[in-house]
Amino acid sequence: MALCSTFCPRIPTYLRAKPISSFPSNPLFSLSFKVYSSQATDASSQDKFTGRVGFLGLGIMGSPMAQNLIKAGCDVTVWNRTKSKCDPLISLGARHGSSPEEVAANCDVTFAMLADPESAIDVACGKNGAVSGMGPGKGYVDVSTVDVATAKLINGHIKETGALFLEAPVSGSKKPAEDGQLIFLTAGDRALYDSVASLLDILGKSRFYLGEVGNGAAMKLVVNMIMGSMMASFSEGLLLSKKVGLDPNVLVEVVSQGAISAPMYSVKGPSMVKSQYPTAFPLKHQQKDLRLALGLAESVSQSTPIAAAANELYKVAKSYGLSDDDFSAVIEALKAKSHNTA
Ligand SMILES: NC(=O)C1=CN([C@@H]2O[C@H](COP(=O)(O)OP(=O)(O)OC[C@H]3O[C@@H](n4cnc5c(N)ncnc54)[C@H](OP(=O)(O)O)[C@@H]3O)[C@@H](O)[C@H]2O)C=CC1
Ligand SMILES: O=CC(=O)O
């Protein structure tokens, strides 16, 4: 079945796109409702996608995303390198593909949510990769966070088969993925963007179409460069407040009420004070994103000293075995530093 825009019936009315003016200006509304900014979308998600959907990569992000598609009534086929992660989704009604190639061959559109550029390339272009199953009338949507060169490389291989390509990295972590509140940063084939708009609207609260392939990756890396630096700076503040005799919990509260408030600080601050880092966004992925963002800055000779310093801290944290902890564990690198210099 070729890509089509037909009705996908199980999306409740309250989850459908609403203009931003329908909601009060309270930012909390954007955390709990589907809100579409005027720039974020002009494709109508009234045209529902009912083709078969493939999903490759069922980690922290991919599993809840695939689950939301299944719960919305989509016909989903999953594949993951570690097969056991497919089982809960198969229990929910998903089909299983034995390779990315088989999934792509049997589906109209295939999503991929892989760890990094290497795995994204391997799953798309490697042996039994998705490219081998692609062809005219099909689409490939890569939602992994990769660099511009990787997005362009995969785009090239997919397009050679006659299929369409959309890069669509997401902003938003484990909880937004579970809640269908992701922000899609898409670029590539506009026709594919329009075809999968209703799927993106099941998974996310907004979607930006940014033009040429590479712009999605670039936007995502800039956002995560800022986020990585913010977390490193917040970590310094928490430790400094404690060392000068303040209660870091009170700092979290003060920050939450002022102009520098951010959900990230309010959500992660209390557990950071307790030295607990339950993984939502793995530290190794934040360091990967900083590394890729620094490469992006290098490519245009943009000075990014703060991000470069933050990247060093994440590398130190990795060397302490914190790769799979949440990225807020970067604070441990600063604790170790102050111990070393004490
Ligand atoms: N977690 C988050 O908060 C967010 C993450 N992201 C980005 O989304 C992507 C996925 O993140 P997340 O789900 O957290 O990561 P995970 O580490 O939880 O999952 C990574 C996925 O990639 C697969 N994988 C890794 N290496 C290979 C390989 N060589 N071949 C095939 N498959 C491979 C893993 O398979 P296996 O299960 O076999 O290991 C798994 O399915 C990353 O690019 C990340 O930067 C974006 C926004 C938020
Ligand atoms: O990439 C991570 C995120 O929280 O967004």
Side-chain angles (χ1 to χ4, degrees):
M1 179 182 165
L3 285 172
C4 61
S5 298
T6 38
F7 189 66
C8 186
R10 281 203 231 154
I11 303 170
T13 311
Y14 73 92
L15 287 183
R16 294 197 183 146
K18 292 187 173 61
I20 201 162
S21 57
S22 303
F23 295 98
S25 56
N26 183 343
L28 287 178
F29 272 81
S30 68
L31 296 176
S32 47
F33 290 91
K34 303 264 177 179
V35 179
Y36 293 84
S37 81
S38 56
Q39 199 199 339
T41 176
D42 49 9
S44 166
S45 67
Q46 302 306 314
D47 295 333
K48 304 300 177 190
F49 183 90
T50 54
R52 290 179 68 171
V53 182
F55 210 104
L56 311 173
L58 302 171
I60 291 170
M61 297 297 285
S63 289
M65 291 172 75
Q67 186 167 330
N68 282 338
L69 291 172
I70 296 163
K71 286 183 174 168
C74 300
D75 182 342
V76 179
T77 303
V78 295
W79 172 87
N80 192 64
R81 178 180 62 175
T82 307
K83 202 245 163 194
S84 57
K85 291 189 190 170
C86 297
D87 296 341
L89 295 155
I90 293 168
S91 304
L92 287 174
R95 303 168 202 258
H96 178 249
S98 63
S99 67
E101 175 181 3
E102 187 180 298
V103 172
N106 288 320
C107 293
D108 302 294
V109 66
T110 299
F111 285 76
M113 185 43 128
L114 286 318
D116 50 25
E118 295 73 26
S119 52
I121 292 170
D122 199 36
V123 168
C125 312
K127 189 165 182 282
N128 301 125
V131 166
S132 313
M134 300 299 297
K138 292 178 182 286
Y140 193 73
V141 183
D142 197 336
V143 291
S144 323
T145 302
V146 298
D147 55 330
V148 173
T150 298
K152 288 185 173 173
L153 180 90
I154 295 173
N155 172 57
H157 284 276
I158 296 288
K159 298 300 283 290
E160 273 175 15
T161 70
L164 302 180
F165 177 78
L166 191 72
E167 59 167 345
V170 298
S171 192
S173 195
K174 184 179 176 200
K175 181 83 167 57
E178 289 168 354
D179 295 346
Q181 293 283 312
L182 296 169
I183 301 164
F184 284 93
L185 308 171
T186 77
D189 284 308
R190 179 73 202 208
L192 181 56
Y193 172 75
D194 290 340
S195 290
V196 299
S198 66
L199 300 178
L200 301 185
D201 292 348
I202 291 166
L203 302 171
K205 67 177 179 183
S206 66
R207 45 185 157 84
F208 291 79
Y209 180 76
L210 302 168
E212 283 180 17
V213 171
N215 289 347
M219 181 67 85
K220 174 63 185 167
L221 293 179
V222 172
V223 171
N224 274 29
M225 183 186 82
I226 297 169
M227 186 169 82
S229 300
M230 281 173 66
M231 180 54 83
S233 180
F234 183 57
S235 299
E236 288 181 342
L238 285 176
L239 293 178
L240 176 60
S241 70
K242 187 160 182 217
K243 238 180 191 169
V244 298
L246 299 171
D247 181 347
N249 287 302
V250 177
L251 172 70
V252 173
E253 179 64 23
V254 171
V255 167
S256 78
Q257 293 191 24
I260 63 164
S261 72
M264 180 175 89
Y265 298 147
S266 302
V267 168
K268 297 194 188 277
S271 48
M272 290 170 74
V273 171
K274 288 187 247 165
S275 303
Q276 291 170 0
Y277 316 105
T279 309
F281 182 39
L283 187 139
K284 64 185 175 195
H285 292 335
Q286 174 62 83
Q287 195 274 318
K288 174 256 304 180
D289 292 351
L290 277 165
R291 173 172 59 80
L292 298 177
L294 291 173
L296 182 67
E298 181 71 30
S299 72
V300 290
S301 297
Q302 172 61 48
S303 179
T304 49
I306 293 171
N311 185 43
E312 291 305 314
L313 270 187
Y314 287 94
K315 282 159 61 180
V316 171
K318 274 173 69 176
S319 76
Y320 291 140
L322 299 168
S323 287
D324 292 319
D325 286 70
D326 190 70
F327 77 118
S328 50
V330 71
I331 193 173
E332 293 294 329
L334 288 162
K335 288 182 191 170
K337 254 189 154 173
S338 41
H339 291 155
N340 291 344
T341 54

